[in-house]
Amino acid sequence: MNTVGEREIRTQERVIAFFRDALGYTYLGNWQDNSEGNNNILPEDLADWLRRQGYDNDIIAKALDQLQKSAAVGGTRGLYEANRDVYERLRYSVNVQPNVGEHRVPVKLIDWENPLNNDFGIAEEVTLEGEHTKRPDLVLYINGIAIGVL
């Protein structure tokens, strides 16, 4: 009997327990059989966090749209450009114009000044379909945005 899979699962469970119990991450689940809708951005989670920061739904929708466009890869737009654009939005903010003629509003997607104000999550076996299907063992999220893979 091959025990490699069993050892990997036990190790994964210990890592999840550490992130959940010691670091306060929310366990988001095992998404192995849930490839539909799995993405690097969890729009509902990010929208919930942004609402708690005081942004209204129109601003949130525009910020999510900009972030998702920044993360898009295809055509002549490669992974490097997408990563650079997403990094800039995460680090500095998304500038949203509420309505025509109004000043842009900076929408911070991560609270860098108060790290504990963010929502931290961990999910396992997140299947991402595309040109090449990928399924990392663990994905770390901040405010619904994938920021790390184990």
Side-chain angles (χ1 to χ4, degrees):
M1 173 185 241
N2 186 348
T3 60
V4 172
E6 293 173 20
R7 284 186 287 187
E8 180 181 344
I9 290 169
R10 284 195 308 271
T11 300
Q12 200 165 300
E13 288 171 349
R14 285 194 311 270
V15 172
I16 291 168
F18 174 75
F19 274 87
R20 185 189 59 231
D21 301 339
L23 300 177
Y25 277 58
T26 300
Y27 176 66
L28 302 173
N30 182 322
W31 297 347
Q32 179 174 347
D33 298 322
N34 181 25
S35 63
E36 197 171 307
N38 287 350
N39 203 326
N40 295 330
I41 302 165
L42 306 176
E44 296 84 18
D45 293 358
L46 180 55
D48 288 344
W49 184 81
L50 289 171
R51 254 184 234 98
R52 291 195 315 271
Q53 306 316 301
Y55 297 105
D56 67 40
N57 288 334
D58 291 335
I59 297 288
I60 292 169
K62 290 177 181 181
L64 283 169
D65 183 58
Q66 281 190 35
L67 179 61
Q68 289 172 327
K69 284 179 182 175
S70 295
V73 176
T76 61
R77 185 175 162 78
L79 186 59
Y80 175 81
E81 291 85 6
N83 284 340
R84 182 192 61 221
D85 290 350
V86 169
Y87 170 79
E88 287 180 15
R89 303 241 181 313
L90 294 179
R91 183 67 185 110
Y92 301 110
S93 71
V94 175
N95 290 313
V96 174
Q97 188 173 17
N99 293 301
V100 176
E102 292 184 8
H103 292 288
R104 293 191 172 272
V105 174
V107 177
K108 292 189 174 201
L109 304 175
I110 294 177
D111 188 342
W112 297 103
E113 289 80 33
N114 304 296
L116 295 178
N117 185 40
N118 296 294
D119 290 341
F120 297 91
I122 186 168
E124 59 183 319
E125 304 296 337
V126 179
T127 303
L128 298 169
E129 293 184 351
E131 185 178 339
H132 304 286
T133 299
K134 300 167 258 338
R135 187 171 58 220
D137 292 331
L138 300 169
V139 178
L140 305 175
Y141 293 88
I142 297 179
N143 305 332
I145 303 166
I147 52 95
V149 179
L150 303 173

